[in-house]
Amino acid sequence: MPASQPVIDAIVAEHPGYRPLTLDLFRPERGGPPYPLVIWVHGGAWRFGSNKQDGPQLAPARIGDRILDAGYALARVTYRLSAEATFPAPLHDVKAAVRWLRRRSGELGLDQGRFAMWGESAGGHLASLVALSGDDPVGAGDGGVQGVSDAVRAGVIWYAPSNLLTMAAQNHPEGLQDHDAPDSPESRLVGGPVQQMPKESAAASPVNYVTPDAPPLLLVHGEQDRIVPVGQSRELYERLHALGAPVELRTVPGADHCFVGADLGPLVQESLDFLARTLKPLSGRH
């Protein structure tokens, strides 16, 4: 979580019977508008988490501060959790945040052509879906701002599920979860046991949204991840690479979920370097 106070704490969408969906927007101290924007999606198994603070494993890296120090604006968004609503509700919510930010980009000092997603774990899953399904009306939902693009230029995806139907088969030998169990995070996301709901599980799987026109993605995953198997990032990489889409895969030796067992600092820097390459100003823009 950035040490500074947000420029704005806004409601981006409201659904009757649910808590309002909000975001916090921070702007960097250096440079001037329009700023490129990183949209951060928190993890927590689609069941927990907050846009107000990072989990204890990530907090020491002060990722938000480093994003701001690199000259990006930062939006930390919220979405309905699986005890509130099943998929595709959380995807609709993150896309609503993207559209809200783009509609107000002028007044907020944002470069609407230089938006990127960055998410970890369940948040990485949603971030990759947003990146891979930009402007797809089926995934847009009817909440919040309409008639505005929800496409983004790039995505940084940290240790995220990509195919709910293959997670159990790819599980680490010391895996901590049965991904096909009725009470697994993935089953709670889709509203029932994953393998008994293949249509819903496929619809919630980023591998089924790959196209040659996908924006650049950086996939980073610990090789010893006992919660989300590293095979998930490998599978998404292989699907995108086979189509010639711009994708990079970085596996981290010895790292468990949340990169426990690895030095977070270089991984944050690699991700920022990726954004610097992929969020260059478009021709004729500043």
Side-chain angles (χ1 to χ4, degrees), residues 112-265:
Q112 64 173 296
R114 300 170 69 197
F115 282 18
M117 305 302 301
W118 190 339
E120 55 98 15
S121 197
H125 163 264
L126 296 174
S128 62
L129 281 171
V130 171
L132 293 169
S133 66
D135 292 334
D136 179 354
V138 175
D142 58 4
V145 170
Q146 298 293 313
V148 182
S149 173
D150 56 35
V152 297
R153 283 269 302 278
V156 175
I157 312 301
W158 278 8
Y159 45 86
S162 69
N163 187 347
L164 304 191
L165 292 165
T166 62
M167 290 185 74
Q170 295 175 357
N171 217 359
H172 190 282
E174 299 176 4
L176 301 179
Q177 298 176 352
D178 176 0
H179 301 287
D180 288 344
D183 61 349
S184 73
E186 297 76 28
S187 295
R188 292 176 184 271
L189 174 67
V190 299
V194 165
Q195 300 297 339
Q196 295 178 28
M197 303 185 70
K199 181 179 178 181
E200 293 82 358
S201 298
S205 296
V207 293
N208 294 315
Y209 294 83
V210 300
T211 71
D213 300 322
L217 295 183
L218 172 65
L219 314 178
V220 191
H221 213 125
E223 292 182 0
Q224 302 301 319
D225 196 321
R226 294 179 296 164
I227 293 180
V228 178
V230 66
Q232 291 288 289
S233 286
R234 288 181 174 138
E235 185 174 349
L236 182 56
Y237 171 81
E238 290 165 1
R239 298 271 191 115
L240 287 164
H241 183 69
L243 294 175
V247 59
E248 300 176 28
L249 174 63
R250 165 81 156 92
T251 61
V252 186
D256 201 339
H257 202 61
C258 297
F259 302 131
V260 171
D263 185 352
L264 268 171

Side-chain angles (χ1 to χ4, degrees), residues 27-54:
R27 285 196 296 241
E29 294 183 358
R30 70 180 184 84
Y35 300 103
L37 174 69
V38 172
I39 300 167
W40 175 268
V41 192
H42 71 81
W46 306 284
R47 298 180 64 195
F48 309 100
S50 165
N51 71 328
K52 299 296 184 184
Q53 59 186 7
D54 293 327

